[in-house]
Short mmCIF file of all heavy atoms in Angstrom, two decimals:
data_model
loop_
_atom_site.label_atom_id
_atom_site.label_comp_id
_atom_site.label_asym_id
_atom_site.label_seq_id
_atom_site.Cartn_x
_atom_site.Cartn_y
_atom_site.Cartn_z
N ASP Q 1 0.83 -1.22 0.00
CA ASP Q 1 0.00 0.01 0.00
C ASP Q 1 0.87 1.26 0.02
O ASP Q 1 0.40 2.35 -0.31
CB ASP Q 1 -0.97 0.01 1.16
CG ASP Q 1 -0.32 -0.05 2.52
OD1 ASP Q 1 0.88 -0.47 2.60
OD2 ASP Q 1 -0.96 0.29 3.53
N ARG Q 2 2.16 1.13 0.34
CA ARG Q 2 3.12 2.26 0.23
C ARG Q 2 3.74 2.33 -1.14
O ARG Q 2 3.86 3.38 -1.72
CB ARG Q 2 4.19 2.15 1.29
CG ARG Q 2 3.72 2.25 2.70
CD ARG Q 2 3.67 3.61 3.26
NE ARG Q 2 4.99 4.28 3.32
CZ ARG Q 2 5.11 5.55 3.35
NH1 ARG Q 2 4.07 6.34 3.21
NH2 ARG Q 2 6.27 6.08 3.39
N VAL Q 3 4.27 1.19 -1.64
CA VAL Q 3 4.89 1.10 -2.96
C VAL Q 3 4.28 -0.05 -3.70
O VAL Q 3 4.49 -1.19 -3.33
CB VAL Q 3 6.41 0.94 -2.87
CG1 VAL Q 3 7.04 0.79 -4.24
CG2 VAL Q 3 7.04 2.13 -2.12
N ALA Q 4 3.56 0.26 -4.77
CA ALA Q 4 2.82 -0.78 -5.51
C ALA Q 4 3.81 -1.67 -6.29
O ALA Q 4 4.95 -1.30 -6.57
CB ALA Q 4 1.93 -0.09 -6.51
N MET Q 5 3.31 -2.86 -6.58
CA MET Q 5 4.08 -3.76 -7.45
C MET Q 5 4.26 -3.12 -8.80
O MET Q 5 3.38 -2.35 -9.24
CB MET Q 5 3.36 -5.11 -7.58
CG MET Q 5 3.47 -5.98 -6.35
SD MET Q 5 5.15 -6.53 -6.00
CE MET Q 5 5.39 -7.68 -7.35
N PRO Q 6 5.38 -3.39 -9.46
CA PRO Q 6 5.60 -2.73 -10.76
C PRO Q 6 4.59 -3.22 -11.84
O PRO Q 6 4.11 -4.35 -11.75
CB PRO Q 6 7.00 -3.23 -11.15
CG PRO Q 6 7.55 -3.98 -10.01
CD PRO Q 6 6.45 -4.23 -9.00
N TYR Q 7 4.36 -2.37 -12.83
CA TYR Q 7 3.60 -2.74 -14.00
C TYR Q 7 4.50 -3.64 -14.89
O TYR Q 7 5.71 -3.62 -14.81
CB TYR Q 7 3.18 -1.47 -14.79
CG TYR Q 7 2.13 -0.65 -14.06
CD1 TYR Q 7 2.49 0.49 -13.38
CD2 TYR Q 7 0.76 -1.05 -14.07
CE1 TYR Q 7 1.51 1.26 -12.73
CE2 TYR Q 7 -0.20 -0.30 -13.44
CZ TYR Q 7 0.19 0.86 -12.75
OH TYR Q 7 -0.75 1.60 -12.14
N GLN Q 8 3.85 -4.38 -15.77
CA GLN Q 8 4.63 -5.30 -16.61
C GLN Q 8 5.61 -4.64 -17.54
O GLN Q 8 6.65 -5.21 -17.81
CB GLN Q 8 3.64 -6.15 -17.48
CG GLN Q 8 2.77 -7.08 -16.66
CD GLN Q 8 3.65 -8.11 -15.99
OE1 GLN Q 8 4.47 -8.72 -16.54
NE2 GLN Q 8 3.37 -8.28 -14.66
N TRP Q 9 5.37 -3.42 -17.97
CA TRP Q 9 6.23 -2.73 -18.89
C TRP Q 9 7.58 -2.34 -18.21
O TRP Q 9 8.60 -2.13 -18.94
CB TRP Q 9 5.62 -1.53 -19.50
CG TRP Q 9 5.39 -0.37 -18.59
CD1 TRP Q 9 4.26 -0.18 -17.80
CD2 TRP Q 9 6.33 0.70 -18.20
NE1 TRP Q 9 4.42 0.96 -17.05
CE2 TRP Q 9 5.66 1.51 -17.25
CE3 TRP Q 9 7.58 1.01 -18.64
CZ2 TRP Q 9 6.25 2.62 -16.71
CZ3 TRP Q 9 8.18 2.16 -18.10
CH2 TRP Q 9 7.49 2.93 -17.11
N GLU Q 10 7.62 -2.29 -16.92
CA GLU Q 10 8.84 -1.86 -16.22
C GLU Q 10 9.95 -2.87 -16.32
O GLU Q 10 11.12 -2.50 -16.30
CB GLU Q 10 8.51 -1.55 -14.78
CG GLU Q 10 7.59 -0.35 -14.63
CD GLU Q 10 7.24 -0.06 -13.17
OE1 GLU Q 10 8.15 0.20 -12.38
OE2 GLU Q 10 6.04 -0.11 -12.83
N TYR Q 11 9.59 -4.17 -16.44
CA TYR Q 11 10.63 -5.21 -16.49
C TYR Q 11 11.46 -5.09 -17.82
O TYR Q 11 12.70 -5.05 -17.71
CB TYR Q 11 10.01 -6.56 -16.37
CG TYR Q 11 9.30 -6.74 -15.07
CD1 TYR Q 11 7.90 -6.81 -14.96
CD2 TYR Q 11 10.00 -6.79 -13.83
CE1 TYR Q 11 7.21 -6.93 -13.77
CE2 TYR Q 11 9.34 -6.90 -12.62
CZ TYR Q 11 7.97 -6.97 -12.61
OH TYR Q 11 7.30 -7.10 -11.39
N PRO Q 12 10.83 -5.04 -18.97
CA PRO Q 12 11.66 -4.86 -20.17
C PRO Q 12 12.34 -3.53 -20.23
O PRO Q 12 13.46 -3.42 -20.81
CB PRO Q 12 10.70 -5.05 -21.37
CG PRO Q 12 9.33 -4.95 -20.81
CD PRO Q 12 9.45 -5.26 -19.35
N TYR Q 13 11.75 -2.50 -19.57
CA TYR Q 13 12.41 -1.17 -19.58
C TYR Q 13 13.70 -1.22 -18.81
O TYR Q 13 14.65 -0.44 -19.06
CB TYR Q 13 11.51 -0.11 -18.98
CG TYR Q 13 12.11 1.29 -19.09
CD1 TYR Q 13 12.03 1.99 -20.30
CD2 TYR Q 13 12.77 1.88 -18.03
CE1 TYR Q 13 12.57 3.23 -20.42
CE2 TYR Q 13 13.32 3.10 -18.16
CZ TYR Q 13 13.24 3.80 -19.35
OH TYR Q 13 13.81 5.02 -19.47
N LEU Q 14 13.88 -2.16 -17.86
CA LEU Q 14 15.13 -2.27 -17.11
C LEU Q 14 16.33 -2.62 -18.05
O LEU Q 14 17.44 -2.35 -17.75
CB LEU Q 14 15.00 -3.29 -15.99
CG LEU Q 14 14.10 -2.89 -14.82
CD1 LEU Q 14 13.99 -4.01 -13.83
CD2 LEU Q 14 14.54 -1.62 -14.20
N LEU Q 15 15.98 -3.21 -19.22
CA LEU Q 15 17.05 -3.46 -20.22
C LEU Q 15 17.54 -2.20 -20.89
O LEU Q 15 18.56 -2.22 -21.62
CB LEU Q 15 16.56 -4.43 -21.25
CG LEU Q 15 16.24 -5.88 -20.76
CD1 LEU Q 15 15.61 -6.68 -21.89
CD2 LEU Q 15 17.51 -6.54 -20.25
N SER Q 16 16.85 -1.06 -20.70
CA SER Q 16 17.20 0.15 -21.34
C SER Q 16 18.55 0.72 -20.89
O SER Q 16 19.02 1.70 -21.48
CB SER Q 16 16.11 1.21 -21.13
OG SER Q 16 16.06 1.65 -19.80
N ILE Q 17 19.15 0.12 -19.89
CA ILE Q 17 20.48 0.58 -19.48
C ILE Q 17 21.50 0.18 -20.53
O ILE Q 17 22.57 0.85 -20.69
CB ILE Q 17 20.85 0.00 -18.09
CG1 ILE Q 17 21.98 0.80 -17.44
CG2 ILE Q 17 21.15 -1.49 -18.15
CD1 ILE Q 17 21.63 2.21 -17.07
N LEU Q 18 21.23 -0.85 -21.30
CA LEU Q 18 22.19 -1.35 -22.32
C LEU Q 18 22.43 -0.32 -23.39
O LEU Q 18 23.65 -0.03 -23.71
CB LEU Q 18 21.71 -2.65 -22.95
CG LEU Q 18 21.58 -3.84 -21.96
CD1 LEU Q 18 20.96 -5.01 -22.67
CD2 LEU Q 18 22.90 -4.16 -21.36
N PRO Q 19 21.44 0.34 -23.99
CA PRO Q 19 21.70 1.36 -24.98
C PRO Q 19 22.54 2.52 -24.41
O PRO Q 19 23.37 3.08 -25.11
CB PRO Q 19 20.37 1.87 -25.43
CG PRO Q 19 19.37 0.82 -25.01
CD PRO Q 19 20.01 0.10 -23.86
N SER Q 20 22.28 2.88 -23.17
CA SER Q 20 23.05 3.95 -22.58
C SER Q 20 24.52 3.59 -22.41
O SER Q 20 25.39 4.37 -22.67
CB SER Q 20 22.46 4.31 -21.20
OG SER Q 20 21.19 4.85 -21.37
N LEU Q 21 24.80 2.34 -22.01
CA LEU Q 21 26.16 1.86 -21.90
C LEU Q 21 26.84 1.86 -23.25
O LEU Q 21 28.02 2.27 -23.39
CB LEU Q 21 26.21 0.51 -21.24
CG LEU Q 21 25.79 0.41 -19.79
CD1 LEU Q 21 25.73 -1.01 -19.29
CD2 LEU Q 21 26.63 1.28 -18.92
N LEU Q 22 26.16 1.35 -24.28
CA LEU Q 22 26.73 1.37 -25.65
C LEU Q 22 27.04 2.82 -26.11
O LEU Q 22 28.03 3.05 -26.72
CB LEU Q 22 25.74 0.68 -26.62
CG LEU Q 22 25.67 -0.80 -26.52
CD1 LEU Q 22 24.52 -1.32 -27.41
CD2 LEU Q 22 26.97 -1.43 -26.96
N GLY Q 23 26.11 3.71 -25.75
CA GLY Q 23 26.34 5.14 -26.14
C GLY Q 23 27.61 5.68 -25.48
O GLY Q 23 28.41 6.34 -26.14
N LEU Q 24 27.76 5.37 -24.18
CA LEU Q 24 28.98 5.83 -23.49
C LEU Q 24 30.20 5.18 -24.06
O LEU Q 24 31.26 5.83 -24.15
CB LEU Q 24 28.85 5.57 -21.98
CG LEU Q 24 27.90 6.45 -21.23
CD1 LEU Q 24 27.74 6.00 -19.78
CD2 LEU Q 24 28.26 7.90 -21.31
N LEU Q 25 30.13 3.90 -24.45
CA LEU Q 25 31.30 3.20 -25.02
C LEU Q 25 31.65 3.75 -26.42
O LEU Q 25 32.82 3.63 -26.80
CB LEU Q 25 31.00 1.70 -25.14
CG LEU Q 25 30.95 0.90 -23.83
CD1 LEU Q 25 30.52 -0.51 -24.09
CD2 LEU Q 25 32.36 0.94 -23.17
N SER Q 26 30.73 4.38 -27.08
CA SER Q 26 31.04 4.86 -28.42
C SER Q 26 31.79 6.15 -28.40
O SER Q 26 32.47 6.51 -29.36
CB SER Q 26 29.72 5.10 -29.21
OG SER Q 26 29.03 6.24 -28.69
N PHE Q 27 31.81 6.86 -27.27
CA PHE Q 27 32.41 8.22 -27.24
C PHE Q 27 33.98 8.27 -27.27
O PHE Q 27 34.49 9.07 -27.99
CB PHE Q 27 31.95 8.97 -26.01
CG PHE Q 27 30.45 9.32 -26.08
CD1 PHE Q 27 29.75 9.54 -24.93
CD2 PHE Q 27 29.85 9.46 -27.28
CE1 PHE Q 27 28.40 9.79 -24.98
CE2 PHE Q 27 28.46 9.78 -27.38
CZ PHE Q 27 27.75 9.96 -26.19
N PRO Q 28 34.71 7.42 -26.55
CA PRO Q 28 36.11 7.61 -26.45
C PRO Q 28 36.82 7.55 -27.81
O PRO Q 28 37.76 8.33 -28.07
CB PRO Q 28 36.61 6.48 -25.56
CG PRO Q 28 35.43 6.10 -24.75
CD PRO Q 28 34.24 6.37 -25.64
N ARG Q 29 36.41 6.67 -28.71
CA ARG Q 29 37.05 6.55 -29.99
C ARG Q 29 36.16 6.88 -31.17
O ARG Q 29 36.42 6.43 -32.29
CB ARG Q 29 37.62 5.14 -30.17
CG ARG Q 29 38.71 4.85 -29.15
CD ARG Q 29 39.29 3.51 -29.36
NE ARG Q 29 40.23 3.22 -28.31
CZ ARG Q 29 41.49 2.88 -28.53
NH1 ARG Q 29 41.96 2.77 -29.73
NH2 ARG Q 29 42.27 2.61 -27.49
N ASN Q 30 35.08 7.59 -30.88
CA ASN Q 30 34.13 7.89 -31.97
C ASN Q 30 33.66 6.68 -32.75
O ASN Q 30 33.68 6.66 -33.95
CB ASN Q 30 34.64 8.98 -32.93
CG ASN Q 30 34.88 10.29 -32.20
OD1 ASN Q 30 34.46 10.48 -31.06
ND2 ASN Q 30 35.50 11.22 -32.87
N ASN Q 31 33.31 5.64 -32.01
CA ASN Q 31 32.92 4.33 -32.61
C ASN Q 31 31.49 4.41 -33.20
O ASN Q 31 30.50 4.43 -32.46
CB ASN Q 31 33.01 3.25 -31.55
CG ASN Q 31 32.95 1.88 -32.15
OD1 ASN Q 31 32.15 1.65 -33.05
ND2 ASN Q 31 33.80 0.98 -31.69
N ILE Q 32 31.41 4.45 -34.49
CA ILE Q 32 30.12 4.57 -35.18
C ILE Q 32 29.23 3.36 -34.93
O ILE Q 32 28.05 3.48 -34.73
CB ILE Q 32 30.31 4.78 -36.66
CG1 ILE Q 32 30.88 6.20 -36.93
CG2 ILE Q 32 29.04 4.64 -37.45
CD1 ILE Q 32 31.29 6.48 -38.36
N SER Q 33 29.87 2.14 -34.90
CA SER Q 33 29.12 0.90 -34.73
C SER Q 33 28.38 0.93 -33.37
O SER Q 33 27.20 0.54 -33.29
CB SER Q 33 30.01 -0.28 -34.79
OG SER Q 33 30.63 -0.34 -36.08
#
């Protein structure tokens, strides 16, 4: 009743950290891939 259980969409959204990590990895050497 204080913090509800997560909605179903929140679980796949947790994978959204991967694109951010790839973005950060692309910066040091300007890696287009």
Side-chain angles (χ1 to χ4, degrees):
D1 59 341
R2 295 272 296 154
V3 177
M5 284 296 288
Y7 289 101
Q8 292 299 311
W9 69 270
E10 294 178 60
Y11 301 108
Y13 186 80
L14 291 177
L15 294 173
S16 69
I17 199 68
L18 298 174
S20 293
L21 294 175
L22 286 170
L24 289 175
L25 288 174
S26 72
F27 294 153
R29 296 184 185 235
N30 295 351
N31 192 318
I32 291 175
S33 300

